[in-house]
Amino acid sequence: AIVWFRKCLRLHDNAALAEASKAGVKHMCPIFVIDPHFGPGHVGVNRYRFLLDCLSDLDQQLRAKYGSRLLVLQGKPEDIF
C-alpha cells in the first residue's frame, strides 16, 4: 500500500496508516512529494530546513514502528502519480 504524506507528518493520528494497519497490509510504501514550488528559491531557508528535519524525524519513526522507510520524491505530484 502507498501511504502519501502531505501536510500531516504525524504517525499517531494518521488516518491512512490506521486504515492500512486495520486492513492487515503487510507491505507499505510511505512517500512524501516535495513540490518544486516549495523549494529553497520559493520559501525561506529556515522553513525548508524545518520541513527536512520533520521528514527525517518521520523516517526514523516509520523505521522504528513499521520497519519501513520514507521515500521522498521531488516533482509535481500529478507528474509522479
Side-chain angles (χ1 to χ4, degrees):
I2 294 176
V3 179
W4 181 13
F5 286 88
R6 297 180 72 193
K7 294 180 181 179
C8 176
L9 301 180
R10 299 184 308 260
L11 291 187
H12 70 277
D13 62 350
N14 188 291
L17 281 175
E19 287 300 316
S21 181
K22 276 194 255 180
V25 172
K26 295 184 191 241
H27 301 286
M28 179 179 40
C29 181
I31 65 167
F32 183 87
V33 179
I34 298 178
D35 191 291
H37 292 98
F38 190 87
H42 300 278
V43 298
V45 67
N46 290 333
R47 185 172 181 192
Y48 193 70
R49 184 75 211 146
F50 179 74
L51 172 65
L52 296 179
D53 288 343
C54 289
L55 292 174
S56 176
D57 183 61
L58 178 61
D59 180 55
Q60 291 174 5
Q61 290 180 51
L62 286 164
R63 281 189 277 160
K65 188 167 184 176
Y66 297 102
S68 186
R69 299 288 310 259
L70 180 65
L71 178 62
V72 179
L73 306 169
Q74 188 168 5
K76 294 181 181 178
E78 60 269 20
D79 293 338
I80 290 174
F81 294 106

